[in-house]
Amino acid sequence: METITDIRQMQQWADATRSRGQRIGFVPTMGYLHAGHLNLVRAARSHSDAVVASIFVNPLQFGTNEDLERYPRDVRRDTAMLLDVGTDVLFLPEAAGVYPPGFQTTVTVERVTRGLCGAARPTHFAGVTTIVAKLFHMVKPHVAVFGCKDFQQLVAIRTMVTDLNLDIEIVGAPIVREADGLAMSSRNAYLSATERQAARSLSKALAAAQALVEHGEVDGLRILAAARRVIADESLARLEYATLADPDTLEEVDAVRRPTLLALAAHFGRTRLIDNCILSRESTARTGWRKSPDSQLSTAN
Ligand code: PAF
């Protein structure tokens, strides 16, 4: 595995790879990798000839009182994991090159970033789409893979790619869960033992909602009430939102008559976690929803 830190060198590698007729697959990350990230690399590999993974903790997507300083970092461990899973290039751009003095250009996706997490994190998605657009120009991928756990991020990036006519295929990869259902996240490392137990309430809430839908419930208020109850029963959990939305537009809906996104955000102590699933009248095992057959309640093995 080659490690590249220089942006110009990354672009030259991409040009040379493309000129050999090879497809470049790309997995952007902020590091502190887990099994979910490794699945993204495997997915990228299945769509390409050469896989680039980047690690860059992007200051632009953190709000002023968020966890930029304490965001977990371990590049040595990440490097070993990426090598092990067959990554071709680890791209570690330096902040000074990514955001040079005088930097003043951002990419903003409007409507799909307003609700859900965007309500509490109004600058977050512009930070994400700006860095992803920049990384796309550095790595020049044919295909890029993002996890469905950050469902709103995935929709924002798809929208950006469509709106800006970027010639890049965007693939959404399944949520990977711990054995007890907790969605894998670099931020799980912040949780104390009791918060870690409490955090299981997120996937339990999704499962409770899905069970109601499978029994024929369509009323959004009742479905949300069931999910909220599971989280309210957990004294260490503070729910930020539980929302039903159209998975394409992210507009809120009040009934589940077709595959529908249920998205949750909750705080466990100082740690904010998100989770989601696509609710469908068919059981999750049989759901084959178009853009995210993947965002289901499967667990890691
Ligand atoms: O999902 C993430 O890790 C980040 O938001 C991303 C896409 C790497 C952009 O910094």
Side-chain angles (χ1 to χ4, degrees):
M1 182 173 76
E2 194 177 340
T3 299
I4 298 178
T5 55
D6 182 73
I7 294 170
R8 190 72 208 112
Q9 200 186 328
M10 184 69 249
Q11 289 167 323
Q12 283 164 352
W13 179 93
D15 289 341
T17 303
R18 280 178 165 259
S19 69
R20 287 195 299 273
Q22 292 191 314
R23 273 173 71 78
I24 300 172
F26 180 39
V27 179
T29 82
M30 297 208 301
Y32 213 69
L33 306 179
H34 49 68
H37 292 111
L38 303 185
N39 259 9
L40 305 184
V41 174
R42 288 188 198 99
R45 158 80 50 215
S46 72
H47 285 81
S48 63
D49 305 302
V51 176
V52 179
S54 66
I55 298 177
F56 180 69
V57 181
N58 173 35
L60 208 61
Q61 70 190 74
F62 289 80
T64 34
N65 293 318
E66 292 183 356
D67 56 342
L68 174 61
E69 295 311 325
R70 72 170 185 141
Y71 197 84
R73 293 162 168 88
D74 190 341
V75 174
R76 187 186 292 210
R77 177 175 152 277
D78 291 346
T79 305
M81 289 169 82
L82 289 171
L83 183 64
D84 205 43
V85 78
T87 312
D88 296 284
V89 174
L90 167 57
F91 180 40
L92 291 170
E94 279 152 17
V98 176
Y99 296 119
F103 173 83
Q104 54 187 291
T105 306
T106 56
V107 178
T108 308
V109 177
E110 298 286 349
R111 283 189 301 284
V112 300
T113 64
R114 282 192 197 133
L116 304 177
C117 291
R121 307 184 75 192
T123 58
H124 170 68
F125 288 108
V128 170
T129 43
T130 299
I131 189 63
V132 170
K134 285 169 72 68
L135 289 167
F136 282 173
H137 284 96
M138 298 171 194
V139 175
K140 308 189 187 189
H142 296 81
V143 56
V145 186
F146 296 85
C148 287
K149 187 174 78 67
D150 297 297
F151 197 90
Q152 190 172 17
Q153 165 173 288
L154 177 61
V155 174
I157 289 165
R158 282 192 202 282
T159 307
M160 171 181 81
V161 163
T162 303
D163 290 356
L164 298 183
N165 305 97
L166 303 183
D167 187 14
I168 301 171
E169 182 188 349
I170 302 298
V171 172
I175 296 180
V176 178
R177 296 177 182 279
E178 304 286 356
D180 65 2
L182 179 68
M184 289 198 184
S185 163
S186 305
R187 287 187 167 100
N188 292 349
Y190 298 149
L191 299 168
S192 69
T194 47
E195 289 164 353
R196 170 68 185 76
Q197 288 296 307
R200 292 180 308 169
S201 58
L202 285 173
S203 60
K204 285 185 184 166
L206 298 177
Q210 174 62 25
L212 263 190
V213 171
E214 280 173 33
H215 281 93
E217 185 60 78
V218 292
D219 182 76
L221 287 178
R222 285 203 209 107
I223 294 164
L224 286 177
R228 287 186 178 124
R229 228 173 2 252
V230 174
I231 293 172
D233 279 349
E234 185 45 72
S235 60
L236 287 183
R238 184 167 54 82
L239 184 66
E240 181 182 304
Y241 69 77
T243 302
L244 293 171
D246 179 294
D248 292 323
T249 63
L250 299 190
E251 277 165 21
E252 283 192 39
V253 299
D254 55 15
V256 177
R257 297 189 196 286
R258 49 167 298 229
T260 298
L261 175 70
L262 170 56
L264 307 174
H267 298 256
F268 301 87
R270 289 170 64 208
T271 305
R272 179 182 183 277
L273 298 180
I274 57 174
D275 203 347
N276 72 77
C277 70
I278 301 296
L279 297 176
S280 164
R281 293 198 63 175
E282 288 177 64
S283 93
T284 52
R286 282 178 284 123
T287 302
W289 186 63
R290 184 165 52 87
K291 282 188 182 159
S292 176
D294 16 39
S295 181
Q296 307 296 338
L297 293 172
S298 58
T299 55
N301 42 36

